[in-house]
DNA sequence: TATTGTTATACTCTATAACTATA
DNA sequence: TATAGTTATAGAGTATAACAATA
């Protein structure tokens, strides 16, 4: 069975995005590629674990995480806004989760166009379990990082999130 | 034309992944979600600009960036390792770029199974232009961030990249 | 037997767009 | 007219797997 080619790569073993820069490049660029490769490393690991251990995906996990905060459920339109994807995609993910009994749609009698999605009891149990694992994975990945670095990262990323300036043309005029 | 629903969202206007945590959560988890939402914000912007201004995608840009460092070209297998995707995907992306005249395959007479992919003159020109824009976008997005924060971010992310510990089961046994 | 690259296939996620039912 | 949600479609990106040619 040597004709099979499963993807088996240790990311630390190969150069990554950051290696595409040279010291002469702007610090911003090197910073960005370093941040991106950190994120990709961690995100890939989480996606892979969600897949192998819970047979699910990050968007599905995220949708359930949104619902978990709102015991009464959320309107599809709000889910779409918070998750920054279009309506049709929320319908699709909700369909999958509903088929597995993890969420349910509740029709709204006041406005019969809209419905509310919420976690079922089974969905709440499943999410709690996944969220615990998810947290363990993250903790274990950050394990070697000194406390001061953690604090500093948290603070400066907070600044960055505020300061990041999106190009005007990519935003709606209003 | 109100039945059309184009995705037009200002990411700063809605809660994001980070808002799924509460102060009682572990700092690691809050840190991770904050980092992820920073990255997603910036990455989404870059993908969108690559699409609208250069009609291309991030994986295609990344493949060209790899080749740009190696004037002699790279083997498909090495591209696959560096970009951490399977062989078949490299074939697909290379096909697209070759069709547009941006890269070319050179057969290797010593080992007739393998070939080398390299940028054409047109590809080098195109990449230089895109890379300049890409750098401008990044610079402009980091514009409001104080210098000290930049330095600190760069250092601590460097640490993180070294310390991030992948789960043993996700790596090959060797 | 193992490696290089290609092809075929399937699946998820995404966007655009048109549609239905309702407001 | 506008909104909530659905459906249809298309395309990118990914993985798994089998294959041919070559080593």
């Amino acid at each position: 069975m040597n004709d099979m080619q499963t993807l088996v790569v240790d990311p630390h073993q190969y150069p990554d995005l950051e290696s595409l820069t040279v010291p002469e490049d702007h610090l911003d660029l090197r910073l960005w590629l370093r941040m991106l490769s950190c994120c990709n490393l961690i995100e890939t690991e989480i996606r892979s674990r969600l897949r192998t251990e819970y047979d699910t995906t990050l968007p599905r996990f995220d949708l359930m995480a949104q619902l978990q905060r709102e015991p009464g459920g959320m309107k599809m339109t709000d889910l779409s806004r918070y998750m920054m994807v279009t309506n049709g995609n929320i319908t699709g993910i909700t369909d999958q989760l509903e088929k597995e009994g993890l969420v349910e749609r509740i029709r709204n009698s006041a406005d019969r166009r809209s419905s509310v999605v919420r976690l079922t009891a089974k969905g709440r149990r499943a999410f709690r379990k996944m969220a615990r694992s998810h947290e363990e994975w993250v903790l274990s990945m950050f394990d070697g990082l000194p406390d001061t670095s953690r604090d500093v990262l948290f603070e400066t990323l907070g600044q960055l999130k505020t300061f990041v300036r999106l190009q005007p043309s990519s935003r709606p005029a209003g």
Side-chain angles (χ1 to χ4, degrees), chain A:
Chain A
M1 286 283 265
N2 290 61
D3 47 4
M4 193 183 73
Q5 28 168 324
T6 308
L7 183 61
V8 172
V9 163
D10 178 351
H12 288 300
Q13 200 183 333
Y14 297 100
D16 65 359
L17 286 172
E18 192 187 336
S19 70
L20 296 175
T21 64
V22 294
E24 292 78 55
D25 282 326
H26 275 97
L27 179 60
D28 285 339
L29 187 58
R30 302 176 63 208
L31 173 54
W32 162 238
L33 291 180
R34 178 171 286 189
M35 183 156 75
L36 184 56
S37 70
C38 274
C39 270
N40 285 345
L41 214 56
I42 299 172
E43 194 177 337
T44 301
E45 178 75 13
I46 289 174
R47 280 183 199 273
S48 146
R49 295 222 139 208
L50 281 176
R51 169 60 62 213
T52 59
E53 299 188 17
Y54 292 103
D55 192 29
T56 194
T57 63
L58 203 45
R60 272 155 64 162
F61 181 77
D62 286 344
L63 195 151
M64 291 178 77
Q66 296 283 353
L67 294 184
Q68 195 254 354
R69 294 188 312 165
E70 301 284 351
M74 290 174 72
K75 286 174 54 185
M76 314 274 293
T77 297
D78 290 336
L79 277 169
S80 145
R81 283 187 186 131
Y82 292 167
M83 296 181 63
M84 293 197 254
V85 297
T86 50
N87 264 344
N89 298 318
I90 297 296
T91 297
I93 297 176
T94 302
D95 285 348
Q96 295 174 18
L97 293 173
E98 194 171 36
K99 204 182 301 174
E100 296 176 25
L102 299 169
V103 307
E104 58 190 345
R105 285 172 166 91
I106 313 285
R107 304 305 291 187
N108 177 356
S109 52
D111 182 345
R112 287 163 56 217
R113 292 171 305 181
S114 85
S115 58
V116 148
V117 191
R118 69 178 187 203
L119 289 176
T120 61
K122 180 181 173 190
R124 280 191 298 276
R125 278 196 303 276
F127 180 75
R128 267 200 300 273
K129 200 163 166 231
M130 286 192 290
R132 264 197 300 271
S133 295
H134 176 263
E135 181 163 354
E136 273 169 30
W137 305 334
V138 172
L139 261 58
S140 116
M141 281 189 273
F142 281 71
D143 199 27
L145 194 69
D147 281 352
T148 51
S149 303
R150 260 172 252 231
D151 296 339
V152 150
L153 255 187
F154 189 72
E155 281 313 309
T156 47
L157 286 173
Q159 285 186 318
L160 180 58
K161 234 175 93 172
T162 316
F163 283 127
V164 162
R165 212 178 287 294
L166 301 186
Q167 319 293 322
S169 69
S170 75
R171 289 196 290 177

